[in-house]
Amino acid sequence: MRGAYTLFLLLCGSTCLLASVIPKEEILGAVRDFQQSGHAADAGLDFTHQASLDEHGRFHLLWKFDSETITFEAHVQTTGYIGLGFSPNGGMTGSDVIIGWVKDGQAFITDRFAEGYFEPRLDAHQDVELLSGYENGTHTVLRFRRKLRPCDTAEDREITEDTQRVIWSFNDLDPLENSLAGQNGPHVLYHGSNRGSKSIILLQKNPPTLDIQDSNILSFELTSSNVLVPEKDTTYWCNTMRLPRLDRKHHIVKIEPIIQPGHESLVHHAVVYQCKLGQVPPMLDGGHECYHPNMPEEWGNCNSIMTAWAIGGKGFTYPNYVGFPIGSDDDPDYIMMEMHYDNPDRISGQRDSSGLRFYYTPIVRMYDAGILDIGVNSYATHVIPPRAESFDSTGFCFGLDPYLQELGSPIKVFASMPHAHLAGTAVRTKLVRNGVFQSYVGRDETYDFDLQEIRLLDPEVMVQEGDQLITECTYKTTDRTQATIGGLSSREEMCINFIQYYPRMKLTRCYSGLDINQQAPFFGVYYAGWEYPFPIYYPDSMVNQTLIDVINQHPWTNEEAERFEQYVRNTQVFSYTVPEVNDYQLIDQPADPTMPNDNSVSIPGC
């Protein structure tokens, strides 16, 4: 019996683990039905990815992909129809929808398009291929395939490496063959509350396997110590800790989050910084609020990034030829962990002990990994106008060459983690060589603030002396009436990409920063103070105002936002790096790179 039960768990994943949803007798009956159905060979065990789309485990999705197609298998707790869709924003309107069912032992699949919050109509071209389908008494199982880049670009959405908003639904009844059939095909009854959406990176490269039971794999944890989260919107909480005492170099090979149950929305991100080599920073019981006047001054020397995790991330396993070094004479003994708590409802009395778990090994791998934080410096001088459907900000890494020269070789980027806040809709980093775009070093054109995964790059991207790394972020602020500025709060903005690479160099941060007085003339202001909200000193007629006041009073439209975007793109910027080689001289922004013509690439088979 144990073998059959194990097989069934493999087939439907978490859907079968919820005894409160499916009685034990029903589970055992489903196992017997499944064994007798003759589908055991078609068990879905060849799939490389899986996810439970709803919190109750009723809709379980498996998938795999190659360079041209993606194959899905849906295991859904119903004997009626199931719906799976790809949405531009998590809603129905504009979604590419697939509806399938099994009736009298025969499986059916339909390719549809949702024009609104009503029954999706059939596509003119049916581009989904049904591979198999059956029911086992409690679940409907459908396997189907479609192209990543469909021929029917008007009604079918392309599946890319970006975040996909996957919508799902089901009903206990099959579609009805009646007079309502027509351009909608068999009539699909309303799904009621059996629906939802989930953000998924469908085309994510599989992480390497790591046997954490191996005797050579050790672990340690860095966690907050029952921190009382302040009753305010945004808190950055810092704590210093000592790394394990090691007698020789080791490699960190895997990092995973430890999020206190119930705090999945409270804990927004964690960044771990290495402290200055040879320095023993003050150790405060429980830690202290970061960037606070009373924070120990020495903590400012903990600024070399060791790792980063953000909301929605599942953790990260390094490729088997790379590891992050600790324990050698060149590696600091102390770190500082920065936790970002997002508490928009200002709930009081919350205590948190979340953090990160690190797996490490004395078996040193071929390369030392590094992490480089690139993009726009997160100062209040980063201004994003309100009421904008789309606004782009651009950051440059000007300080790369001296560190590549010191290293004596190019680097290879193997992973990236794009990072923006609530207004962010897209993040991309371009590798530019001799003014010509080469490739993306991490990209998400449908960025989701609540899903910030570290993404393995395939292929890896080589960066050499003379190359430019240009990070662009797109924001949407149609729901905002005041300007959004750069800053730490989730209601403020960032434009960052954490890229992981090898071999390791000394550079850990490489930003460009915007000068407020380069932007002020757009608003008729010719000199303002550097401190937010930027008091105006000239012209005299405006000295009783701040620049932020003037920006908020500006008659913003999409056209004005675009004009401001182009204005800012032609200003000069500062270069900012860690370790510091900053003279704070203004630098001209490079011209836009020459980009390939995507429209010239034909769709295979169309």
Side-chain angles (χ1 to χ4, degrees), residues 82 84 98 143 154 202 219 233 257 262 270 317 345 436 471 528-529 572 598:
I82 65 175
L84 183 73
I98 299 164
R143 181 183 290 210
L202 290 172
S219 68
D233 179 271
T317 303
D345 296 328
V436 179
T471 300
Q572 293 181 307
D598 290 337

Side-chain angles (χ1 to χ4, degrees), residues 456-477:
L456 288 166
L457 301 184
D458 187 16
E460 296 174 348
V461 179
M462 179 180 289
V463 181
Q464 61 191 38
E465 190 177 338
D467 288 348
Q468 294 177 342
L469 292 174
I470 302 175
T471 300
E472 300 170 344
C473 294
T474 302
Y475 305 97
K476 182 177 180 179
T477 58

Side-chain angles (χ1 to χ4, degrees), residues 223-237:
T223 60
S224 299
S225 181
N226 200 32
V227 169
L228 179 62
V229 179
E231 188 180 344
K232 62 180 183 177
D233 179 271
T234 297
T235 300
Y236 279 67
W237 194 267

Side-chain angles (χ1 to χ4, degrees), residues 23 28-29 47 69 81 139 142 168 173 175 198 234 313 315 341 359 362 378 399 404 431-432 447 504 526 537 558 599:
L28 296 177
F47 286 87
T69 64
Y81 78 77
H139 289 68
L142 290 175
W168 58 270
L173 298 175
K198 186 181 183 72
T234 297
Y341 293 110
Y359 295 92
S378 302
L404 287 172
L431 172 66
V432 177
Y447 173 83
R504 189 184 186 191
Y526 299 101
Y537 297 138
N558 282 325
N599 294 328

Side-chain angles (χ1 to χ4, degrees), residues 201-213:
I201 305 169
L202 290 172
L203 303 190
Q204 172 74 290
K205 180 181 176 182
N206 264 333
T209 57
L210 179 71
D211 181 7
I212 60 175
Q213 303 302 322

Side-chain angles (χ1 to χ4, degrees), residues 22 44 60 74 121 400 434 473 516 518 523 582:
I22 309 174
H60 201 69
R121 62 168 171 78
L400 189 59
N434 299 321
C473 294
I516 199 64
Q518 291 277 310
F523 305 98
N582 305 305

Side-chain angles (χ1 to χ4, degrees), residues 37-331:
S37 68
H39 293 290
D42 189 28
L45 303 182
D46 58 331
F47 286 87
T48 55
H49 298 72
Q50 61 175 317
S52 189
L53 301 192
D54 74 314
E55 61 182 10
H56 303 296
R58 298 170 300 170
F59 198 125
H60 201 69
L61 187 68
L62 303 95
W63 71 95
K64 60 182 179 179
F65 58 90
D66 55 32
S67 60
E68 293 186 8
T69 64
I70 184 165
T71 302
F72 294 100
E73 187 166 289
H75 295 239
V76 186
Q77 187 186 321
T78 184
T79 54
Y81 78 77
I82 65 175
L84 183 73
F86 310 101
S87 167
N89 52 25
M92 276 192 68
T93 304
S95 294
D96 176 7
V97 177
I98 299 164
I99 294 178
W101 63 97
V102 176
K103 185 175 182 179
D104 299 329
Q106 182 178 354
F108 300 86
I109 203 89
T110 56
D111 186 6
R112 297 172 180 247
F113 183 78
E115 296 176 318
Y117 286 87
F118 45 86
E119 182 179 1
R121 62 168 171 78
L122 285 176
D123 283 3
H125 301 279
Q126 293 293 298
D127 295 319
V128 178
E129 180 185 2
L130 176 64
L131 300 177
S132 64
Y134 58 91
E135 293 174 348
N136 63 12
T138 61
H139 289 68
T140 294
V141 178
L142 290 175
R143 181 183 290 210
F144 48 94
R145 177 168 58 211
R146 55 153 286 181
K147 290 183 177 180
L148 297 175
R149 192 176 182 198
C151 300
D152 180 8
T153 55
E155 297 175 321
D156 290 337
R157 295 183 61 84
E158 182 177 359
I159 295 177
T160 67
E161 294 178 350
D162 300 332
T163 300
Q164 303 291 323
R165 270 69 170 183
V166 178
I167 60 175
W168 58 270
S169 66
F170 63 86
N171 192 298
D172 290 335
L173 298 175
D174 292 330
L176 304 176
E177 293 279 5
N178 59 19
S179 59
L180 294 176
Q183 72 162 347
N184 288 344
H187 175 46
V188 178
L189 298 170
Y190 180 54
H191 45 60
S193 62
N194 298 321
R195 59 178 172 83
S197 67
K198 186 181 183 72
S199 290
I200 303 176
I201 305 169
L202 290 172
L203 303 190
Q204 172 74 290
K205 180 181 176 182
N206 264 333
T209 57
L210 179 71
D211 181 7
I212 60 175
Q213 303 302 322
D214 188 314
S215 60
N216 288 310
I217 301 297
L218 310 171
S219 68
F220 65 92
E221 296 179 358
L222 302 176
T223 60
S224 299
S225 181
N226 200 32
V227 169
L228 179 62
V229 179
E231 188 180 344
K232 62 180 183 177
D233 179 271
T234 297
T235 300
Y236 279 67
W237 194 267
C238 287
N239 200 2
T240 50
M241 308 170 191
R242 200 194 193 288
L243 291 171
R245 298 177 186 274
L246 303 172
D247 59 1
R248 64 187 186 279
K249 179 178 177 178
H250 288 58
H251 267 161
I252 292 172
V253 292
K254 180 181 174 73
I255 301 161
E256 62 186 21
I258 306 170
I259 305 303
Q260 184 171 319
H263 288 190
E264 290 79 10
S265 297
L266 176 67
V267 181
H268 175 265
H269 76 242
V271 181
V272 178
Y273 301 93
Q274 290 181 307
C275 297
K276 189 175 181 180
L277 185 64
Q279 181 188 65
V280 180
M283 311 290 282
L284 300 183
D285 186 25
H288 197 284
E289 188 169 351
C290 313
Y291 315 113
H292 188 278
N294 293 332
M295 186 184 90
E297 183 178 350
E298 296 88 344
W299 286 13
N301 293 322
C302 303
N303 56 25
S304 178
I305 297 176
M306 178 176 174
T307 192
W309 168 90
I311 187 169
K314 299 182 183 67
F316 180 71
T317 303
Y318 285 87
N320 56 19
Y321 46 87
V322 181
F324 193 94
I326 57 172
S328 78
D329 292 341
D330 297 326
D331 298 317

